[in-house]
């Protein structure tokens, strides 16, 4: 199948948005609990999570006026609170990003989402787009973003459910370490000189990487790659070849990404500095497919991991715990437990509520003033404990009737279990 060629200025056309016909005058638009907007410093709407950007000119003008009014006083607007609504602003040169929520999100987490959205836009266009606005403040950026809105929406959705964005860490696949090591040796042995970096993903979780010595990709760049892969269904149809900007690698230039699937839910992303490298990278992809077919035990292990990419909190043998998320600070990777069996967070609404509880704990632990090393929060629905040390960060949800001494004991047992499973839970280069 011929490669899907995508230039920096021509994007694959996406299907119409489900909420295209909405505008601020419609009841359905107002009913949404969480809005995201991108506009230019000239007040021109560029992106809206809901509704047609062309119908939001008046609202964009109001948002731009708020930024300008505060800016005239020599300050920068950060957030506005009105009743149940919280509006958070992120100013990035000529781009204004705004989140408006009445879902109980913290300011810190909404700001995280806006930073990630901005990074995703830069990954599609590079930071040179800011120079375009300097020359022409009324430039219509939608012509460049056309067809990529699904990727930006994927970045927004990740903020509601994915612990990785909250923890600012890369989610890892739960895989016995011996198979992870074998995959690393396989990719290294097959690597052609044209490959700068390689990333093997399974269901949006990191499996293995290929990189020059001491030149690993930044976790934020990896999160951008993961979101682009999981948000774009066309990548499953063959081999895709597209320019991609990784802001922490080089914010002003593209690398060329070869993206394909080498197994069920298993994606291989290969990066090169040369636009002529499609052939060698495609050959590497085919070699990986052939090697996996010959290594039956490895293929079976990967298939098993794809079916259950997350460990179960029950595996810790701590029955009091309902859910947890855990980050290794040294490598900025994270894991979270799946919601199955008797887990009270199997329903989508319950998981979103739990993530908001985690947000509150995370915000207190990382507060600019008086940050906490440990936090204990009790409510009618659950008890949350959060702990942050130089080595790790952990948040655990327990039932509402669990007492503090039991929580402390359970936390220690879970930490011991995580330590014993560390090589299977994380990609450790040692």
């Amino acid at each position: 199948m011929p490669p899907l060629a995508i230039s920096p200025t021509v994007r694959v056309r996406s299907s119409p948005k489900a909420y295209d016909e909405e505008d601020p005058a419609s009841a359905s638009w107002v009913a949404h609990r969480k809005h995201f907007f991108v506009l230019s410093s000239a007040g021109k709407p560029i992106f809206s999570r809901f509704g047609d950007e062309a119908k939001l000119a008046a609202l964009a003008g109001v948002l731009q006026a708020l930024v300008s009014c505060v800016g005239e006083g020599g300050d920068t607007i950060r957030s506005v609170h009105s009743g149940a609504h919280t509006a958070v602003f992120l100013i990035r040169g000529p781009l204004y990003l705004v989140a408006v929520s009445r879902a109980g999100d913290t300011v810190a987490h909404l700001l995280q989402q806006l930073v990630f959205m901005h990074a995703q836009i830069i990954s599609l266009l590079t930071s040179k787009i800011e120079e375009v606005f300097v020359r022409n403040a009324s430039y219509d950026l939608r012509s460049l973003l056309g067809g990529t809105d699904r990727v930006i929406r994927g970045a927004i959705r990740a903020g509601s459910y994915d612990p990785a964005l909250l923890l600012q860490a890369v989610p890892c696949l739960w895989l016995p370490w011996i198979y992870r090591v074998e995959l690393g040796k396989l990719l290294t042995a097959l690597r052609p000189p044209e490959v700068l970096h390689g990333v093997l993903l399974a269901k949006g979780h990191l499996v293995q990487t290929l990189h020059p010595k001491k030149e690993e990709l930044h976790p934020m760049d990896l999160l951008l790659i993961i979101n682009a892969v999981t948000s774009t269904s066309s990548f499953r149809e063959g081999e895709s070849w597209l320019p991609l900007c990784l802001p922490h690698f080089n914010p002003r230039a593209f690398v060329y990404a070869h993206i394909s699937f080498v197994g069920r839910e298993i994606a291989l992303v290969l990066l090169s500095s040369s636009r002529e490298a499609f052939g060698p990278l495609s050959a590497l992809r085919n070699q990986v497919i052939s090697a996996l077919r010959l290594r039956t035990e490895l293929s079976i292990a990967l298939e098993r991991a794809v079916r259950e990419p997350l460990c179960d909190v029950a595996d810790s043998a701590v029955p009091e715990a309902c859910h947890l998320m855990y980050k290794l600070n040294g490598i900025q990777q994270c894991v979270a437990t799946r919601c199955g069996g008797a887990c009270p967070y199997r329903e989508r609404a319950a998981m979103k509520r739990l993530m908001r509880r985690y947000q509150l704990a995370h915000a207190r632990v990382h507060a600019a003033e008086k940050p906490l090393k440990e936090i204990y929060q009790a409510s009618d629905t659950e008890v949350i404990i959060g702990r942050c040390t130089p080595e790790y960060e952990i948040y655990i949800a327990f039932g509402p009737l669990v007492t503090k001494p039991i929580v402390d004991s359970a936390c220690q047992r879970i930490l011991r279990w995580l330590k014993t499973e560390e090589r299977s839970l994380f990609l450790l280069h040692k």
Side-chain angles (χ1 to χ4, degrees):
M1 186 177 193
L4 173 65
I6 307 179
S7 73
T9 57
V10 180
R11 301 286 171 179
V12 175
R13 189 174 181 82
S14 64
S15 58
K17 294 182 295 181
Y19 307 101
D20 259 352
E21 301 305 316
E22 295 181 350
D23 61 54
S26 63
S28 58
W29 189 89
V30 175
H32 294 301
R33 291 165 58 84
K34 204 169 178 180
H35 289 267
F36 288 85
F37 309 101
V38 181
L39 58 142
S40 70
S41 57
K44 195 175 189 67
I46 295 170
F47 170 84
S48 174
R49 184 186 188 188
F50 302 113
D52 183 354
E53 293 84 2
K55 300 177 182 179
L56 301 177
L59 176 61
V62 172
L63 295 173
Q64 189 271 340
L66 286 172
V67 175
S68 297
C69 287
V70 175
E72 287 174 0
D75 209 343
T76 301
I77 190 168
R78 297 186 182 275
S79 63
V80 176
H81 305 267
S82 178
H85 289 80
T86 298
V88 177
F89 293 74
L90 176 67
I91 312 303
R92 286 290 185 264
L95 293 179
Y96 299 168
L97 297 91
V98 185
V100 181
S101 173
R102 58 182 179 89
D105 299 276
T106 64
V107 170
H109 186 60
L110 291 173
L111 184 59
Q112 274 185 332
Q113 286 191 266
L114 293 178
V115 170
F116 191 59
M117 276 181 62
H118 179 261
Q120 197 73 74
I121 292 173
I122 295 302
S123 76
L124 301 169
L125 304 175
T126 81
S127 61
K128 290 182 179 180
I129 191 61
E130 297 176 359
E131 299 174 4
V132 175
F133 278 108
V134 170
R135 295 192 298 268
N136 182 5
S138 61
Y139 180 78
D140 189 355
L141 184 59
R142 290 177 296 171
S143 62
L144 293 183
L145 286 177
T148 64
D149 55 335
R150 63 189 178 279
V151 178
I152 300 174
R153 283 186 173 75
I156 295 171
R157 285 193 300 273
S160 297
Y161 303 101
D162 193 350
L165 186 58
L166 178 61
L167 295 174
Q168 298 286 280
V170 182
C172 283
L173 183 76
W174 185 34
L175 181 70
W177 69 272
I178 189 170
Y179 300 116
R180 203 186 299 274
V181 170
E182 186 176 354
L183 284 166
K185 291 179 179 178
L186 170 63
L187 292 174
T188 301
L190 297 175
R191 176 184 180 177
E194 291 85 358
V195 172
L196 283 176
H197 291 271
V199 183
L200 190 66
L201 304 170
K203 268 197 170 178
H205 293 75
L206 182 65
V207 181
Q208 188 54 270
T209 60
L210 188 61
H211 58 82
K213 191 174 182 180
K214 297 182 180 180
E215 291 185 25
E216 297 182 47
L217 286 174
H218 191 278
M220 182 60 72
D221 289 341
L222 280 170
L223 286 176
L224 293 173
I225 291 172
I226 290 172
N227 180 61
V229 171
T230 56
S231 301
T232 311
S233 59
S234 62
F235 289 155
R236 299 172 180 271
E237 298 172 2
E239 300 178 52
S240 300
W241 182 243
L242 67 156
L244 192 66
C245 174
L246 301 176
H248 289 85
F249 184 76
N250 186 345
R252 296 180 59 80
F254 286 109
V255 293
Y256 294 89
H258 179 281
I259 303 175
S260 64
F261 277 72
V262 296
R264 188 173 66 89
E265 301 292 343
I266 302 173
L268 179 63
V269 181
L270 302 170
L271 305 177
S272 176
S273 59
S274 171
R275 67 168 62 200
E276 308 300 329
F278 177 86
L281 272 55
S282 177
L284 171 57
R285 178 250 188 185
N286 293 332
Q287 288 176 309
V288 170
I289 293 175
S290 299
L292 290 176
R293 287 173 180 166
L294 293 173
R295 304 185 188 203
T296 307
E297 186 178 346
L298 176 58
S299 297
I300 292 173
L302 275 173
E303 290 174 4
R304 187 184 304 118
V306 164
R307 288 195 296 271
E308 292 185 350
L310 304 176
C311 57
D312 194 325
V313 71
D315 297 324
S316 67
V318 181
E320 300 89 352
C322 300
H323 187 273
L324 70 86
M325 59 182 193
Y326 176 71
K327 172 185 177 181
L328 275 184
N329 289 327
I331 57 175
Q332 291 184 272
Q333 296 174 15
C334 67
V335 293
T337 52
R338 65 176 181 269
C339 295
C343 178
Y345 306 110
R346 294 189 305 275
E347 300 296 328
R348 179 176 177 178
M351 191 62 203
K352 291 178 75 171
R353 177 177 55 77
L354 176 63
M355 287 304 300
R356 287 195 291 272
R357 293 295 312 280
Y358 281 154
Q359 282 182 40
L360 293 171
H362 186 271
R364 290 294 291 116
V365 167
H366 293 276
E369 297 182 5
K370 298 181 179 180
L372 304 176
K373 293 182 179 179
E374 182 171 313
I375 186 169
Y376 176 90
Q377 294 180 335
S379 70
D380 293 338
T381 53
E382 61 261 315
V383 169
I384 301 290
I385 185 171
R387 183 179 295 177
C388 186
T389 74
E391 294 78 29
Y392 67 84
E393 188 170 346
I394 190 169
Y395 300 86
I396 312 173
F398 297 89
L401 302 180
V402 179
T403 62
K404 182 70 162 59
I406 293 177
V407 165
D408 288 337
S409 174
C411 186
Q412 291 304 316
R413 284 182 284 155
I414 287 174
L415 285 169
R416 287 195 293 271
W417 170 72
L418 288 167
K419 187 65 177 178
T420 61
E421 293 293 320
E422 198 171 77
R423 291 198 297 177
S424 295
L425 293 171
F426 298 101
L427 173 57
L428 303 175
H429 294 292
K430 62 180 180 180

